Amino acid sequence: MDLWIRRQLAILSSKASEILGVQEHLHNLLAMREEGEVEQVGEDKQQVQKMLGKLVEALRMTSDLYDVVSLEYSAGRGMVYAMYASGVIRAVDVDGRTGSAMILEVVREIKR
């Protein structure tokens, strides 16, 4: 019984760490938006952001990019910001790319 309880505590600790990482990510994202580094999604950016949301869902089902929490698009900078559960943020230049080229570039760059 003690072993089972210890395993459950370890699982809870791991989940708590993941939740704290997501919480930190959200605080970082909010700070970036307030500083103008990541723009709010407007009417013309909604389709790209929706596509990136679907891409995150697909990436989270993989064995190597399961920890991607979100992808945020900044049209003004032509960048996509990949946020990980650990709090790491990676920037990908997607300026001037079509939707499918953007997907390929994001996946290629965040796998590095």
Side-chain angles (χ1 to χ4, degrees), residues 3-66:
L3 181 59
W4 180 83
I5 291 171
R6 287 188 180 134
R7 285 184 183 162
Q8 296 306 311
L9 286 172
I11 291 169
L12 286 174
S13 177
S14 173
K15 294 295 180 189
S17 176
E18 184 177 332
I19 290 168
L20 289 175
V22 171
Q23 182 182 20
E24 183 179 340
H25 149 71
L26 293 173
H27 285 295
N28 290 339
L29 179 59
L30 183 60
M32 289 173 68
R33 283 188 174 161
E34 288 171 353
E35 293 171 12
E37 293 179 28
V38 176
E39 300 170 7
Q40 295 286 349
V41 177
E43 285 293 317
D44 54 339
K45 301 172 205 166
Q46 285 183 350
Q47 192 63 26
V48 172
Q49 193 60 54
K50 184 177 179 180
M51 176 188 69
L52 291 172
K54 298 286 185 186
L55 180 56
V56 168
E57 290 176 24
L59 294 175
R60 292 190 61 113
M61 289 188 260
T62 67
S63 61
D64 54 345
L65 293 172
Y66 63 91

Side-chain angles (χ1 to χ4, degrees), residues 46-100:
Q46 285 183 350
Q47 192 63 26
V48 172
Q49 193 60 54
K50 184 177 179 180
M51 176 188 69
L52 291 172
K54 298 286 185 186
L55 180 56
V56 168
E57 290 176 24
L59 294 175
R60 292 190 61 113
M61 289 188 260
T62 67
S63 61
D64 54 345
L65 293 172
Y66 63 91
D67 59 341
V68 174
V69 175
S70 70
L71 296 170
E72 295 290 330
Y73 177 58
S74 173
R77 293 179 182 247
M79 302 292 283
V80 170
Y81 297 94
M83 286 77 163
Y84 294 83
S86 65
V88 171
I89 299 173
R90 296 197 63 193
V92 180
D93 182 5
V94 295
D95 194 33
R97 289 184 173 75
T98 63
S100 58

